[in-house]
Amino acid sequence: MTDIYKNKIFINGEYFNFDISLNKELINKVEGVNENLTYSKGLFVNTICFHQLLMNYELKSNLFLELNCKKVRLKYIGFSTSYLFEIFKRDKIIIVKDYYYFINRIIHFLLIPISLIKIIFYSILSIFYVFFKSLKQNNSSIFYGENLVLIHSNTALNKCMKFCISKNEKGTILYDSHKLKINKNYDNFTVIDLYKIVKSSHLIKVIPKLLKSVLKQTKLIYKEFKQIFGVFSRFYVIFIYADRFFHSVYVSFVLDFFVKENVKKIKKIISGEKESRFAIIENNIINKFKIEGVCIPHGLEYNFKYPK
């Protein structure tokens, strides 16, 4: 009998963490799945394929296989058990039908309304947030230099500016004040908060469009991962990322707005994002406006091939 806890399993008097089963063979397996499936242009596809499909779903399945688990017993309650129930069914692993089993089954059905409520709640909260931020000074017409540097983290800021200074570049830093603060001045660069670009009056007009984009991202996740996850697991993925939907589509809208206003001045877009949702947004902008893009990766990453 194998007992399954939230972050580890207990079998034959010994505990095992799920991440010990991460290896090149497992990565190759998931990469094979990515190559054989057709993904749309959703902003979260890379994030989900790595953090959910590889590092959560298949990681657990691989450990059960390595330990030759035939019969399991859940020892915790949570939305994440939706993955486990699908793995057990797919890999023909017997699960003990006790208190934990039935409670988890019930909360799986609750995932659907709770996920949708979370999307609505965070969308409304985000609308108020961006609206009040937009009431401050508008900087939409301020662009300096030839380069646009897009920043979403302190590490990316340090890496990108080190690169720019070494190349004697000049330009504009457009940063996400929701994720970091920039209190330092950089020679040959002006700094703009992306939340202060769009006027509140214009923001009110585009809110329906932004909400439509949120709905689109939700549908894309549900549709494109139908090939991998069951209904409850897809809603669990939606639940995980629901608080990021509006923020992501707003960032996409602002970047598109800003670049369109300054497209004749911008020669190059520099970013520290490589595979995240922000990287997908920035690649869309680069391709749309035919602008040169430069990526300065800001950390160590797994050698993992993402969907094309």
Coordinates of all heavy atoms in Angstrom, one line a residue, residues 41-114:
K41 N -2.4 30.0 -29.7 CA -1.5 31.1 -29.3 C -1.8 31.6 -27.9 O -1.8 32.8 -27.6 CB -1.6 32.2 -30.3 CG -1.1 31.8 -31.7 CD -1.2 33.0 -32.7 CE -0.8 32.6 -34.1 NZ -0.9 33.6 -35.1
G42 N -2.2 30.8 -27.0 CA -2.5 31.2 -25.6 C -1.2 31.7 -24.9 O -0.1 31.2 -25.1
L43 N -1.4 32.6 -24.0 CA -0.3 33.3 -23.3 C 0.3 32.4 -22.3 O 1.5 32.5 -21.9 CB -0.7 34.6 -22.7 CG -1.3 35.7 -23.6 CD1 -1.7 36.9 -22.8 CD2 -0.3 36.0 -24.7
F44 N -0.4 31.3 -21.8 CA 0.1 30.5 -20.7 C 0.5 29.1 -21.1 O 0.9 28.3 -20.3 CB -1.1 30.4 -19.7 CG -1.4 31.6 -19.0 CD1 -2.3 32.5 -19.5 CD2 -0.9 31.9 -17.7 CE1 -2.6 33.7 -18.9 CE2 -1.2 33.1 -17.0 CZ -2.1 34.0 -17.6
V45 N 0.6 28.9 -22.4 CA 0.9 27.5 -22.9 C 2.3 27.0 -22.4 O 2.4 25.9 -22.0 CB 0.8 27.4 -24.4 CG1 1.8 28.4 -25.1 CG2 1.0 26.0 -24.9
N46 N 3.3 27.9 -22.5 CA 4.7 27.5 -22.0 C 4.7 27.2 -20.5 O 5.3 26.3 -20.0 CB 5.7 28.5 -22.4 CG 6.0 28.5 -23.9 OD1 5.7 27.6 -24.6 ND2 6.6 29.6 -24.4
T47 N 4.1 28.1 -19.8 CA 4.0 28.0 -18.3 C 3.4 26.7 -17.9 O 3.8 26.0 -17.0 CB 3.3 29.2 -17.7 OG1 3.9 30.4 -18.1 CG2 3.2 29.1 -16.2
I48 N 2.2 26.4 -18.5 CA 1.5 25.2 -18.2 C 2.2 24.0 -18.6 O 2.3 23.0 -17.8 CB 0.1 25.2 -18.8 CG1 -0.7 26.4 -18.2 CG2 -0.6 23.9 -18.6 CD1 -2.1 26.6 -18.9
C49 N 2.8 23.9 -19.8 CA 3.6 22.8 -20.2 C 4.7 22.4 -19.3 O 5.0 21.3 -19.0 CB 4.1 23.0 -21.6 SG 2.8 22.7 -22.9
F50 N 5.4 23.5 -18.8 CA 6.5 23.2 -17.9 C 6.1 23.0 -16.5 O 6.4 21.9 -15.9 CB 7.5 24.4 -17.9 CG 8.8 24.1 -17.1 CD1 9.8 23.3 -17.6 CD2 8.9 24.7 -15.9 CE1 10.9 23.1 -16.8 CE2 10.0 24.5 -15.1 CZ 11.0 23.7 -15.6
H51 N 5.4 23.9 -15.9 CA 5.1 23.9 -14.4 C 4.0 22.9 -14.1 O 4.0 22.3 -13.0 CB 4.7 25.2 -13.9 CG 5.9 26.2 -13.9 ND1 6.9 26.2 -13.0 CD2 6.2 27.2 -14.7 CE1 7.8 27.1 -13.2 NE2 7.4 27.8 -14.3
Q52 N 3.1 22.6 -15.0 CA 2.0 21.7 -14.7 C 2.2 20.3 -15.3 O 2.2 19.3 -14.6 CB 0.6 22.3 -15.1 CG 0.4 23.7 -14.4 CD 0.5 23.6 -12.9 OE1 0.0 22.7 -12.3 NE2 1.1 24.6 -12.3
L53 N 2.3 20.3 -16.6 CA 2.5 19.0 -17.3 C 3.7 18.3 -16.9 O 3.7 17.1 -16.6 CB 2.4 19.2 -18.8 CG 2.6 18.0 -19.7 CD1 1.5 17.0 -19.4 CD2 2.6 18.3 -21.2
L54 N 4.9 19.0 -17.0 CA 6.1 18.3 -16.6 C 6.4 18.2 -15.1 O 6.5 17.1 -14.6 CB 7.3 19.0 -17.3 CG 8.7 18.5 -16.9 CD1 8.9 17.1 -17.3 CD2 9.8 19.4 -17.5
M55 N 6.4 19.4 -14.4 CA 6.8 19.4 -13.0 C 5.8 19.0 -12.0 O 6.1 18.9 -10.8 CB 7.3 20.8 -12.7 CG 8.5 21.3 -13.6 SD 10.0 20.2 -13.4 CE 10.4 20.6 -11.7
N56 N 4.6 18.7 -12.5 CA 3.5 18.3 -11.6 C 2.9 17.0 -12.0 O 3.0 16.0 -11.3 CB 2.5 19.4 -11.5 CG 1.7 19.4 -10.2 OD1 1.5 18.3 -9.6 ND2 1.2 20.5 -9.7
Y57 N 2.2 17.0 -13.1 CA 1.5 15.9 -13.6 C 2.4 14.7 -13.9 O 2.2 13.6 -13.3 CB 0.7 16.3 -14.9 CG -0.4 15.3 -15.3 CD1 -1.7 15.4 -14.9 CD2 -0.1 14.3 -16.2 CE1 -2.7 14.6 -15.3 CE2 -1.1 13.5 -16.7 CZ -2.4 13.6 -16.2 OH -3.3 12.7 -16.6
E58 N 3.2 14.8 -14.9 CA 4.1 13.7 -15.3 C 5.1 13.3 -14.3 O 5.6 12.2 -14.2 CB 4.7 14.0 -16.7 CG 3.8 14.1 -17.8 CD 3.1 12.8 -18.1 OE1 3.5 11.7 -17.6 OE2 2.1 12.8 -18.9
L59 N 5.6 14.3 -13.5 CA 6.5 14.0 -12.4 C 6.0 13.0 -11.4 O 6.6 12.1 -11.0 CB 6.9 15.3 -11.7 CG 8.2 15.3 -10.9 CD1 9.4 15.1 -11.8 CD2 8.4 16.6 -10.2
K60 N 4.7 13.2 -11.0 CA 4.0 12.3 -10.1 C 3.8 11.0 -10.7 O 4.1 9.9 -10.1 CB 2.7 12.9 -9.6 CG 2.8 14.1 -8.7 CD 1.5 14.6 -8.3 CE 1.5 15.7 -7.2 NZ 2.3 16.9 -7.6
S61 N 3.4 11.0 -12.0 CA 3.1 9.7 -12.7 C 4.4 8.9 -12.8 O 4.4 7.7 -12.6 CB 2.6 10.0 -14.1 OG 2.4 8.8 -14.8
N62 N 5.5 9.6 -13.1 CA 6.8 8.9 -13.2 C 7.3 8.2 -11.9 O 7.8 7.1 -11.9 CB 7.8 9.9 -13.8 CG 9.1 9.2 -14.3 OD1 9.0 8.3 -15.2 ND2 10.2 9.5 -13.8
L63 N 7.0 8.9 -10.8 CA 7.5 8.3 -9.5 C 6.6 7.1 -9.2 O 7.2 6.1 -8.7 CB 7.4 9.4 -8.4 CG 7.8 8.9 -7.0 CD1 9.3 8.5 -7.1 CD2 7.6 10.1 -6.0
F64 N 5.3 7.2 -9.4 CA 4.5 6.0 -9.2 C 5.0 4.8 -10.0 O 5.0 3.7 -9.5 CB 3.0 6.3 -9.5 CG 2.4 7.4 -8.7 CD1 1.5 8.3 -9.2 CD2 2.7 7.5 -7.4 CE1 0.9 9.3 -8.5 CE2 2.2 8.5 -6.6 CZ 1.3 9.4 -7.1
L65 N 5.4 5.1 -11.2 CA 5.9 4.0 -12.1 C 7.2 3.5 -11.6 O 7.4 2.2 -11.6 CB 6.0 4.6 -13.6 CG 6.5 3.6 -14.6 CD1 5.5 2.5 -14.8 CD2 6.8 4.3 -15.9
E66 N 8.1 4.3 -11.2 CA 9.4 3.9 -10.7 C 9.3 3.0 -9.5 O 10.0 2.1 -9.3 CB 10.3 5.1 -10.5 CG 10.8 5.8 -11.7 CD 11.7 7.0 -11.4 OE1 11.9 7.3 -10.2 OE2 12.3 7.5 -12.3
L67 N 8.3 3.4 -8.6 CA 8.2 2.7 -7.3 C 7.2 1.5 -7.5 O 6.9 0.8 -6.5 CB 7.7 3.6 -6.3 CG 8.6 4.8 -5.9 CD1 8.0 5.7 -4.9 CD2 10.0 4.2 -5.4
N68 N 6.7 1.3 -8.7 CA 5.8 0.2 -9.0 C 4.6 0.2 -8.1 O 4.2 -0.8 -7.5 CB 6.6 -1.1 -8.8 CG 5.8 -2.3 -9.5 OD1 5.0 -2.1 -10.4 ND2 6.0 -3.5 -8.9
C69 N 3.9 1.4 -8.0 CA 2.7 1.5 -7.2 C 1.5 0.8 -7.8 O 1.2 1.2 -9.0 CB 2.4 3.0 -6.9 SG 3.7 3.9 -6.0
K70 N 0.9 -0.1 -7.1 CA -0.3 -0.8 -7.6 C -1.6 -0.3 -7.0 O -2.6 -0.3 -7.6 CB -0.1 -2.3 -7.5 CG 1.1 -2.8 -8.2 CD 1.0 -2.7 -9.7 CE 2.2 -3.4 -10.4 NZ 2.1 -3.2 -11.9
K71 N -1.4 0.0 -5.7 CA -2.6 0.4 -4.9 C -2.2 1.6 -4.0 O -1.1 1.6 -3.4 CB -3.1 -0.7 -4.1 CG -4.4 -0.4 -3.4 CD -4.9 -1.7 -2.7 CE -6.3 -1.5 -2.0 NZ -6.8 -2.7 -1.3
V72 N -3.0 2.7 -4.0 CA -2.6 3.9 -3.3 C -3.8 4.4 -2.4 O -4.9 4.0 -2.6 CB -2.2 5.0 -4.2 CG1 -1.0 4.7 -5.1 CG2 -3.4 5.4 -5.1
R73 N -3.4 5.2 -1.4 CA -4.3 5.7 -0.5 C -4.0 7.2 -0.3 O -2.9 7.6 0.1 CB -4.3 5.0 0.9 CG -5.2 5.5 1.9 CD -5.3 4.6 3.1 NE -3.9 4.3 3.6 CZ -3.6 3.2 4.3 NH1 -4.5 2.3 4.6 NH2 -2.3 3.0 4.7
L74 N -4.9 8.1 -0.6 CA -4.7 9.5 -0.4 C -4.8 9.9 1.1 O -5.6 9.4 1.8 CB -5.8 10.3 -1.1 CG -5.7 10.4 -2.7 CD1 -6.9 11.1 -3.3 CD2 -4.4 11.1 -3.1
K75 N -3.9 10.8 1.5 CA -3.8 11.2 2.9 C -3.9 12.7 3.0 O -3.5 13.3 4.0 CB -2.5 10.8 3.5 CG -2.3 9.3 3.5 CD -3.3 8.5 4.3 CE -3.1 8.6 5.7 NZ -4.0 7.8 6.5
Y76 N -4.5 13.4 2.0 CA -4.7 14.8 2.0 C -5.9 15.2 1.1 O -6.3 14.4 0.2 CB -3.4 15.6 1.7 CG -3.2 15.7 0.2 CD1 -3.5 16.9 -0.5 CD2 -2.5 14.7 -0.5 CE1 -3.2 17.0 -1.9 CE2 -2.3 14.8 -1.9 CZ -2.6 16.0 -2.6 OH -2.4 16.1 -3.9
I77 N -6.4 16.4 1.3 CA -7.5 16.9 0.6 C -7.1 18.2 -0.2 O -6.5 19.1 0.4 CB -8.7 17.2 1.5 CG1 -9.2 15.9 2.1 CG2 -9.9 17.9 0.7 CD1 -10.3 16.1 3.2
G78 N -7.4 18.3 -1.4 CA -7.0 19.5 -2.2 C -7.4 19.4 -3.6 O -7.6 18.3 -4.2
F79 N -7.4 20.6 -4.3 CA -7.8 20.6 -5.7 C -6.8 19.9 -6.6 O -7.1 19.3 -7.6 CB -7.9 22.1 -6.2 CG -9.1 22.8 -5.6 CD1 -9.0 24.2 -5.3 CD2 -10.3 22.2 -5.5 CE1 -10.1 24.8 -4.8 CE2 -11.4 22.8 -5.0 CZ -11.3 24.2 -4.7
S80 N -5.5 19.9 -6.1 CA -4.4 19.2 -6.9 C -4.6 17.7 -7.1 O -4.0 17.1 -7.9 CB -3.1 19.5 -6.3 OG -3.0 19.0 -5.0
T81 N -5.5 17.1 -6.3 CA -5.7 15.7 -6.4 C -6.4 15.3 -7.7 O -6.5 14.2 -8.1 CB -6.6 15.1 -5.2 OG1 -7.8 15.9 -5.1 CG2 -5.8 15.3 -3.9
S82 N -6.9 16.4 -8.4 CA -7.6 16.1 -9.7 C -6.5 15.5 -10.7 O -6.9 14.6 -11.5 CB -8.1 17.4 -10.3 OG -7.1 18.4 -10.4
Y83 N -5.3 15.9 -10.5 CA -4.2 15.3 -11.3 C -4.0 13.8 -11.0 O -3.9 13.0 -11.9 CB -2.9 16.0 -11.1 CG -2.7 17.4 -11.7 CD1 -1.7 18.2 -11.3 CD2 -3.5 17.8 -12.8 CE1 -1.5 19.5 -11.9 CE2 -3.3 19.0 -13.3 CZ -2.3 19.9 -12.9 OH -2.1 21.1 -13.5
L84 N -4.0 13.6 -9.7 CA -3.8 12.2 -9.2 C -4.9 11.2 -9.7 O -4.6 10.1 -10.1 CB -3.7 12.2 -7.7 CG -2.5 13.0 -7.1 CD1 -2.6 12.9 -5.6 CD2 -1.2 12.4 -7.6
F85 N -6.1 11.7 -9.6 CA -7.2 10.8 -10.0 C -7.1 10.4 -11.5 O -7.4 9.3 -11.9 CB -8.6 11.5 -9.8 CG -9.0 11.3 -8.4 CD1 -8.4 11.9 -7.3 CD2 -10.1 10.5 -8.1 CE1 -8.8 11.7 -6.0 CE2 -10.6 10.3 -6.8 CZ -9.9 10.9 -5.7
E86 N -6.6 11.4 -12.3 CA -6.5 11.1 -13.8 C -5.3 10.2 -14.0 O -5.3 9.3 -14.8 CB -6.3 12.4 -14.5 CG -7.5 13.2 -14.6 CD -7.3 14.5 -15.5 OE1 -6.3 14.5 -16.2 OE2 -8.2 15.3 -15.5
I87 N -4.2 10.4 -13.2 CA -3.0 9.5 -13.3 C -3.4 8.1 -12.9 O -3.0 7.1 -13.6 CB -1.9 10.0 -12.5 CG1 -1.3 11.4 -13.0 CG2 -0.7 9.0 -12.4 CD1 -0.4 12.1 -12.1
F88 N -4.1 7.9 -11.9 CA -4.5 6.6 -11.4 C -5.3 5.9 -12.4 O -5.1 4.7 -12.7 CB -5.3 6.7 -10.1 CG -4.5 7.3 -8.9 CD1 -5.2 8.0 -7.9 CD2 -3.1 7.2 -8.9 CE1 -4.5 8.5 -6.9 CE2 -2.4 7.8 -7.8 CZ -3.1 8.4 -6.8
K89 N -6.2 6.6 -13.0 CA -7.1 6.0 -14.1 C -6.3 5.6 -15.3 O -6.4 4.5 -15.8 CB -8.2 7.0 -14.4 CG -9.2 6.4 -15.5 CD -10.3 7.4 -15.8 CE -11.3 6.9 -16.8 NZ -12.4 7.8 -17.1
R90 N -5.4 6.5 -15.7 CA -4.6 6.3 -16.9 C -3.6 5.1 -16.8 O -3.5 4.3 -17.6 CB -3.9 7.5 -17.3 CG -3.1 7.4 -18.6 CD -2.1 8.6 -18.8 NE -1.1 8.6 -17.8 CZ -0.1 9.6 -17.8 NH1 -0.1 10.6 -18.6 NH2 0.9 9.5 -16.9
D91 N -3.0 5.1 -15.6 CA -2.0 4.1 -15.3 C -2.5 2.8 -14.6 O -1.7 2.0 -14.2 CB -0.8 4.7 -14.5 CG -0.2 5.9 -15.3 OD1 -0.3 5.9 -16.5 OD2 0.5 6.7 -14.6
K92 N -3.8 2.8 -14.5 CA -4.5 1.6 -13.9 C -4.0 1.3 -12.5 O -3.6 0.2 -12.1 CB -4.3 0.4 -14.8 CG -4.9 0.5 -16.2 CD -4.7 -0.7 -17.0 CE -5.5 -0.7 -18.3 NZ -5.2 0.5 -19.1
I93 N -3.9 2.3 -11.7 CA -3.5 2.2 -10.3 C -4.8 2.2 -9.4 O -5.7 3.1 -9.6 CB -2.6 3.4 -9.8 CG1 -1.3 3.3 -10.7 CG2 -2.3 3.3 -8.3 CD1 -0.4 4.5 -10.4
I94 N -4.9 1.3 -8.5 CA -6.1 1.2 -7.7 C -6.0 2.2 -6.5 O -5.0 2.4 -5.9 CB -6.3 -0.2 -7.1 CG1 -6.4 -1.2 -8.2 CG2 -7.5 -0.3 -6.1 CD1 -6.3 -2.7 -7.7
I95 N -7.1 2.9 -6.3 CA -7.2 3.9 -5.2 C -8.2 3.5 -4.1 O -9.3 3.1 -4.5 CB -7.5 5.3 -5.7 CG1 -7.5 6.3 -4.6 CG2 -8.8 5.3 -6.5 CD1 -7.7 7.8 -5.0
V96 N -7.8 3.5 -2.9 CA -8.7 3.1 -1.8 C -9.8 4.2 -1.7 O -9.6 5.4 -1.6 CB -7.9 3.1 -0.5 CG1 -8.8 2.8 0.7 CG2 -6.8 2.0 -0.5
K97 N -11.0 3.7 -1.6 CA -12.2 4.6 -1.6 C -12.6 4.8 -0.1 O -13.5 4.2 0.4 CB -13.3 4.0 -2.4 CG -13.0 3.9 -3.9 CD -14.2 3.4 -4.7 CE -13.8 3.3 -6.2 NZ -14.9 2.8 -7.0
D98 N -11.9 5.7 0.5 CA -12.2 6.1 1.9 C -12.7 7.5 2.0 O -13.1 8.1 1.0 CB -11.0 5.8 2.8 CG -9.8 6.6 2.3 OD1 -9.9 7.4 1.3 OD2 -8.7 6.5 2.9
Y99 N -12.6 8.1 3.2 CA -13.0 9.5 3.5 C -12.3 10.4 2.5 O -13.0 11.3 1.9 CB -12.7 9.8 4.9 CG -12.8 11.3 5.3 CD1 -14.0 11.9 5.5 CD2 -11.6 12.0 5.4 CE1 -14.1 13.2 5.8 CE2 -11.7 13.4 5.7 CZ -12.9 14.0 5.9 OH -12.9 15.3 6.2
Y100 N -11.0 10.3 2.4 CA -10.2 11.3 1.6 C -10.7 11.2 0.1 O -10.7 12.2 -0.6 CB -8.7 11.0 1.7 CG -8.1 11.4 3.0 CD1 -7.9 10.5 4.0 CD2 -7.8 12.7 3.2 CE1 -7.4 10.8 5.2 CE2 -7.2 13.1 4.4 CZ -7.0 12.2 5.4 OH -6.5 12.6 6.6
Y101 N -10.9 10.0 -0.3 CA -11.4 9.7 -1.7 C -12.6 10.5 -2.0 O -12.7 11.2 -3.0 CB -11.6 8.2 -2.0 CG -12.2 7.9 -3.3 CD1 -11.4 7.7 -4.4 CD2 -13.5 7.8 -3.5 CE1 -11.9 7.4 -5.7 CE2 -14.1 7.5 -4.7 CZ -13.3 7.3 -5.8 OH -13.9 7.0 -7.0
F102 N -13.7 10.3 -1.2 CA -15.0 10.9 -1.5 C -15.0 12.4 -1.3 O -15.6 13.1 -2.1 CB -16.0 10.2 -0.6 CG -16.3 8.8 -1.0 CD1 -15.9 7.8 -0.2 CD2 -17.0 8.5 -2.2 CE1 -16.2 6.5 -0.6 CE2 -17.3 7.2 -2.5 CZ -16.8 6.2 -1.7
I103 N -14.3 12.9 -0.3 CA -14.2 14.4 -0.1 C -13.5 15.0 -1.3 O -13.9 16.1 -1.8 CB -13.5 14.8 1.2 CG1 -14.3 14.3 2.4 CG2 -13.2 16.3 1.3 CD1 -15.7 14.9 2.5
N104 N -12.4 14.4 -1.8 CA -11.7 15.0 -2.9 C -12.6 14.9 -4.2 O -12.5 15.8 -5.0 CB -10.4 14.2 -3.2 CG -9.3 14.7 -2.3 OD1 -8.9 15.9 -2.3 ND2 -8.7 13.8 -1.5
R105 N -13.4 13.9 -4.3 CA -14.3 13.8 -5.5 C -15.3 15.0 -5.5 O -15.6 15.6 -6.5 CB -15.0 12.5 -5.5 CG -14.4 11.3 -6.2 CD -14.1 11.7 -7.6 NE -13.7 10.6 -8.4 CZ -13.2 10.7 -9.6 NH1 -13.0 11.9 -10.2 NH2 -12.8 9.6 -10.3
I106 N -15.8 15.3 -4.3 CA -16.7 16.4 -4.2 C -16.1 17.7 -4.5 O -16.7 18.5 -5.3 CB -17.3 16.4 -2.7 CG1 -18.2 15.2 -2.5 CG2 -18.1 17.7 -2.5 CD1 -18.6 15.1 -1.0
I107 N -14.9 18.0 -4.0 CA -14.3 19.3 -4.3 C -13.8 19.4 -5.7 O -13.6 20.5 -6.2 CB -13.1 19.6 -3.3 CG1 -11.9 18.6 -3.6 CG2 -13.5 19.5 -1.9 CD1 -10.7 19.0 -2.8
H108 N -13.6 18.3 -6.4 CA -13.3 18.4 -7.8 C -14.5 19.0 -8.6 O -14.2 19.8 -9.5 CB -13.0 17.0 -8.4 CG -11.8 16.4 -7.9 ND1 -11.4 15.0 -8.1 CD2 -10.7 16.9 -7.2 CE1 -10.3 14.8 -7.6 NE2 -9.8 15.9 -7.0
F109 N -15.7 18.7 -8.2 CA -16.9 19.3 -8.9 C -16.9 20.8 -8.5 O -17.4 21.6 -9.3 CB -18.1 18.6 -8.5 CG -18.3 17.3 -9.2 CD1 -17.9 16.1 -8.5 CD2 -18.9 17.2 -10.4 CE1 -18.1 14.9 -9.2 CE2 -19.0 16.0 -11.1 CZ -18.7 14.8 -10.5
L110 N -16.5 21.1 -7.3 CA -16.5 22.6 -6.9 C -15.5 23.4 -7.7 O -15.6 24.6 -7.7 CB -16.3 22.6 -5.4 CG -17.3 22.0 -4.5 CD1 -16.9 22.2 -3.0 CD2 -18.7 22.7 -4.7
L111 N -14.5 22.7 -8.3 CA -13.4 23.4 -9.0 C -14.0 24.3 -10.1 O -13.5 25.4 -10.4 CB -12.4 22.4 -9.6 CG -11.1 22.3 -8.9 CD1 -10.3 21.1 -9.6 CD2 -10.3 23.5 -8.9
I112 N -15.0 23.8 -10.8 CA -15.6 24.5 -11.9 C -16.2 25.9 -11.5 O -15.7 26.9 -12.0 CB -16.7 23.6 -12.6 CG1 -16.0 22.4 -13.1 CG2 -17.3 24.4 -13.8 CD1 -17.0 21.4 -13.7
P113 N -17.1 25.9 -10.6 CA -17.6 27.3 -10.2 C -16.6 28.1 -9.5 O -16.6 29.3 -9.7 CB -18.8 27.0 -9.3 CG -18.6 25.6 -8.7 CD -17.9 24.9 -9.9
I114 N -15.8 27.5 -8.7 CA -14.8 28.3 -7.9 C -13.7 28.9 -8.9 O -13.3 30.1 -8.7 CB -14.1 27.4 -6.9 CG1 -15.0 27.1 -5.7 CG2 -12.8 28.1 -6.3 CD1 -14.5 26.1 -4.7

